[in-house]
Amino acid sequence: MAVEPDSAGVRFPPPLIYLGALLLGLLAERFVSLRSFGIDWRLLTTTGVLLFVAGVAMMLAAAGLFRRLGTNAPPTQPTTLIVKTGPYRWTRNPMYLAMALIYAGLAIGFDGPIALTLLPLVLIIIQTQVIAREERYLEAKFGDEYRRYKVEVRRWL
């Protein structure tokens, strides 16, 4: 993936971090004795679908807002402005939060306890390798405007 000089410098696509861990966890289910949450499949499916749909809705809202405002979503491209409306009023990272909801929905829906236990590790990787880079970049590019936004809006929720 080509990384623009005026960007956060994230070298690995965040969706692939989530997807890789999810697939690894679901694959591990085949080789480990802990293969199920032990909960009725209807409850798992309902919970999984609700989380998945919430994540997709948040992702579409956040990405659509970036598109409407004319700024880039991928952290490999330049950011042209700080988005502060829509889901960005409540969280500085609605796209990563959305990916976490989608991940949790799929892990639960597919009855994957190992996959779900990997989610905190994924969030640590996203925090340290993606969000931290983005925040340094945005602070350097937008200065006090971004620092004020950081004070006003939480990183995750």
Side-chain angles (χ1 to χ4, degrees):
M1 165 167 45
V3 177
E4 297 276 334
D6 176 18
S7 74
V10 174
R11 303 205 181 283
F12 200 76
L16 292 182
I17 296 169
Y18 284 93
L19 180 62
L22 179 67
L23 293 176
L24 179 67
L26 292 174
L27 180 65
E29 308 282 338
R30 305 188 73 151
F31 303 104
V32 178
S33 61
L34 178 65
R35 296 182 182 177
S36 173
F37 287 109
I39 299 172
D40 182 69
W41 68 270
R42 290 172 290 230
L43 180 59
L44 288 174
T45 302
T46 301
T47 303
V49 167
L50 289 173
L51 288 169
F52 182 85
V53 168
V56 169
M58 183 180 291
M59 179 63 75
L60 291 174
L65 187 55
F66 266 50
R67 197 171 25 264
R68 280 191 304 283
L69 295 175
T71 192
N72 297 308
T76 56
Q77 297 177 352
T79 299
T80 59
L81 59 95
I82 299 171
V83 178
K84 300 177 187 175
T85 60
Y88 291 90
R89 292 177 297 194
W90 302 291
T91 172
R92 295 194 312 259
N93 297 289
M95 290 187 205
Y96 301 134
L97 180 57
M99 286 183 231
L101 289 172
I102 291 167
Y103 180 111
L106 291 170
I108 292 168
F110 285 114
D111 198 12
I114 294 173
L116 190 61
T117 61
L118 292 177
L119 182 55
L121 176 62
V122 171
L123 296 177
I124 290 169
I125 292 168
I126 291 296
Q127 175 59 45
T128 60
Q129 301 304 308
V130 178
I131 293 172
R133 289 174 189 249
E134 289 179 348
E135 289 186 340
R136 283 191 301 270
Y137 165 71
L138 293 170
E139 208 166 303
K141 185 164 184 165
F142 298 103
D144 287 339
E145 180 185 5
Y146 185 69
R147 282 189 279 281
R148 278 191 301 277
Y149 177 63
K150 280 175 53 175
V151 169
E152 295 168 5
V153 178
R154 292 176 182 231
R155 179 176 289 134
W156 288 99
L157 281 179

